[in-house]
Amino acid sequence: MQGVVPTKNLEGELMITKNELIGEFSKKPELYYNTKLFETEGFVRKKCKGCGKFFWTADESREYCGDSEHEGYSFMKQNPEDVSLEGFWSKFSKFFKDNGHEIIDRYPVVSRWRQDLYFTIASIQDFQRIENGNMSFEYNANPLLVPQMCLRFNDIPNVGVTGRHFTSFIMAGQTAFNYPKEGYWRDKTIELNFEALTKIVGVKKKDITYIEDVWAMGDFSEFGPSLEAYSGGLEMVNNVFTQFEYSNGVRKELKGKVVDVGWGLERLVWFKSGAQTAYDPVFKNALSYLHKSTGIKPNIALYSKVAGAFGKIDLSELKSFDDVELKAVETAGLSKADYYDIIKPMQAAYAIVDHAKTLLFAVTDGALPSNVGGGYNLRIILRRIFDFVSKYHMEFDMKELLSLIAKSMSHMYPELSENIEDMLKIIGVERQRYDNTKSAAIKTVTTIIEKHEKITPERMRTLYESNGITPDLINSVAASKGVTLELPENAYTSIIKGDFAEKEKKKKTEIDISGIKPTTKLFYDFETESDSKVLFAESNIVVLDKTPFYAESGGQEADHGTINGIKVTDVQSTNGVILHYLDKPANFKIGEKVHCSVNEKRRSQLIAHHTATHLMSASARKVLGKHAWQEGAHKSASKAHIDIAHYEKLSDEQIRAIEEQANAYLQNGIKVIMHEISRAEAESKFGFSIYQGHGVPVSMPRIVEIYDMDGNLIDAEACGGIHAMGRESIIGMIKVIGSQRIHDGIDRLEYVAGNAAYKYVLSIEKEIRKASYALKTDPGKLAQSAELASKQLDEYRKQVSSLKSIESSKVANEFSESKSAEIIKSLDYDFETLRRIATKIVDESPEKIALLYNPEGNAVCIAGSDSGKDASKFINENVKKTGFSSFKGGGSKRIAQGMLLK
């Protein structure tokens, strides 16, 4: 292990697995697992009689490793202690502070700095930065302790049931970096670990076991041995020693090793209190309020009889939730009535407080329930709350519940209380959507039950995405009808989205640029002309040693212009090498000097639109709230757009307010600053709002800061675009020209700025003058005249409709007198009139079928109730009689309509 070891075969596939690493490490425990504390405290190494894992214990008589798989929960007390989350954190964090650790604030639960993850799922993620596929660590203290709130959605059905599962939990991250130059390693880690467990948590030495394991990144790019500490059947903490990496297909030791200890704070509080579930001490006041408001009568004594058994259940891997729990209930000697009337409502309350806390943290940090990205999972748990509320007829004040949750963590996370009002607005909108779809959802589930249809994982996902149907709603409807409906294994897993975001598809480079040096970028110095040397030329693609041409990036389109008089139509960048695309092949030679000239008008317009986008982003957050993150943007020479996260479609008033705020910034004067600073400094100075849109995977991001004339910060973002630094006046004004809801949770605003805005205003004025001339009125009275004209038009339409009705009746009567039961006729009427005529024919003569069409090919076929004909079949069978060759449309037995084609 100390040398370089091959880890991939000739096909590039990994040749190692986690189990193989455990086996390899276990052969040399003195190198990877043993510590000085084990020796001084008398811990011995044993092999578990149940699972075969190696573990360390101070109890020589112990035969099992301590995992709940072999050992039930033994820490629960008949009279639990009153232990609060913040009270425990105060003592716990003081212990580590006294032992040289800096206590830092949590990072957001929305992982803006990691493009590949939606949410923060582990404390170590706070410090991970990925650049060009390589991971590095950035930290502002060493060693440190962070109370990191983490969000995970892979155990949703277990939440509220097992007593230990949460969708959001505090991972108290004890981290030491860059060993051996800094930090500490295994001996110090386990020494601190043991002391915290015995002195702060109160675990007896003989009750602690350390199980040998391995931790690895998904691709094994970094990995190392780990020691998981258990007591009383509960995993307390995982001590990870990130020691190795894979680089270019070989395994070697990291130069700077990392200690990554993840303490499950809620579990520590649970153990310390001895309560029946972790939810009881963590959500004590919130649960008390929920019980009183809803009439739920918790019976802790009864619940304690099944709490241990429930702790071993994993509902995420099962088809029928209730059946599994009922077995534990029956084994404990409890009745079905106890289960359904007492235990199930208690579990619902546990799940509601957990889900409410998760949503509060997510919204506070800028995420929204939706059907896209990480918001997809947030909507699932919010609808799960609604399902429980409906099923158990709960009535409570959500604001009071959220306030109690926020108050219980107010010293650790004071920011939560500031976002409750926003949270309530979001819940209100989501509740309305839920109510609008619920009746239809119940009908769908009822049909599935009546037809005995099978629900596959694919069907389960479709039911949720199309109808908002969750597994809990299915169980609820089935129970109300006295049946059990079999759900697919991993029912919730089939509808939730994983932790990892979809990777952005990059443009493929048509040429081999290996060996070409990165291009010197002159555009950041606002250069528009240069004499450059050709490094590569093939067909219409040219690479230069330096260039004034901005390459498309961050939603800003590329500069255009000429190279030696030949037009440049596109510019792209790949790994720092800038490729110029010409409108025709050029016979440039390697080493040849060429003259570059950028289209300055286009450049100025792109600059105006890009800086305007930053102002629109800042204005949206000011008007709508901190959740209004920029989810995308595009800046062309003709116009720009920004995609804004918001829980409902933007109103005209909100759009106007955003536009007015952006222009107010301009009217009062702005100052733009652009400079490169370290990523750590940027994050520390401006927070994670610098990552609007997407994370910036570079160690030295270019930060664009916009200030008002009093020096107040308006916006700061990591951005590689060109901005109006020193030329702020070119922005002129910003005018919104359109908006649309592009998909759930995101609105797009289109706007123009600078000269494009001026041209847009002129075009609107021109249209106003034309409309005024047409209506024979002054521009100032245009609205009044248009309203009058609209009323006159409506009256005209009514008259036309009346005339069409009279004409339809007249023509229909002629056909009704015909003895033929099948009418196929071309008439020179519009489609609406054809349909009226056909309808009147079959209404008056239900034994007939009418196929009517016009010369343009508009066709309608309606079958009378007594005709015995199928309209869809009839129109296709008789299409040749119309003089056309085929029919394109649709319909039913009663009516078919569409286009006849030549």
Side-chain angles (χ1 to χ4, degrees), residues 443-458:
K443 287 181 183 178
T444 301
V445 177
T446 301
T447 301
I448 291 171
I449 293 171
E450 291 173 349
K451 293 184 177 181
H452 306 288
E453 295 177 3
K454 184 178 180 181
I455 301 179
T456 62
E458 294 75 20

Side-chain angles (χ1 to χ4, degrees), residues 70-132:
H70 321 300
E71 181 179 326
Y73 294 153
S74 59
F75 60 88
M76 297 177 181
K77 303 171 184 175
Q78 189 171 359
N79 296 305
E81 295 179 31
D82 187 5
V83 181
S84 72
L85 189 69
E86 287 206 319
F88 182 83
W89 169 251
S90 178
K91 296 176 182 177
F92 185 80
S93 58
K94 184 179 183 302
F95 168 80
F96 281 98
K97 185 176 181 180
D98 291 344
N99 280 279
H101 292 69
E102 185 170 335
I103 314 302
I104 67 170
D105 293 336
R106 74 172 180 97
Y107 280 53
V109 298
V110 183
S111 186
R112 303 286 181 183
W113 60 96
R114 285 280 299 271
Q115 294 177 307
D116 57 329
L117 288 166
Y118 294 123
F119 297 112
T120 305
I121 59 175
S123 59
I124 193 64
Q125 188 179 323
D126 295 351
F127 317 106
Q128 293 173 336
R129 303 294 182 271
I130 299 176
E131 184 174 353
N132 296 326

Side-chain angles (χ1 to χ4, degrees), residues 688-761:
F688 294 93
S689 62
I690 61 172
Y691 298 126
Q692 295 293 325
H694 298 282
V696 179
V698 292
S699 58
M700 291 291 291
R702 193 173 187 83
I703 302 297
V704 177
E705 304 165 31
I706 304 178
Y707 295 88
D708 64 21
M709 301 312 290
D710 294 325
N712 300 308
L713 182 68
I714 295 173
D715 185 68
E717 296 182 29
C719 177
I722 313 177
H723 286 269
M725 186 172 71
R727 302 175 62 196
E728 291 83 355
S729 61
I730 67 170
I731 304 168
M733 68 172 289
I734 300 170
K735 182 61 188 171
V736 175
I737 61 173
S739 70
Q740 59 176 315
R741 190 79 162 170
I742 58 170
H743 52 68
D744 190 32
I746 297 180
D747 274 53
R748 173 170 292 174
L749 293 181
E750 290 189 346
Y751 45 91
V752 285
N755 193 49
Y758 176 68
K759 288 182 177 179
Y760 175 79
V761 172

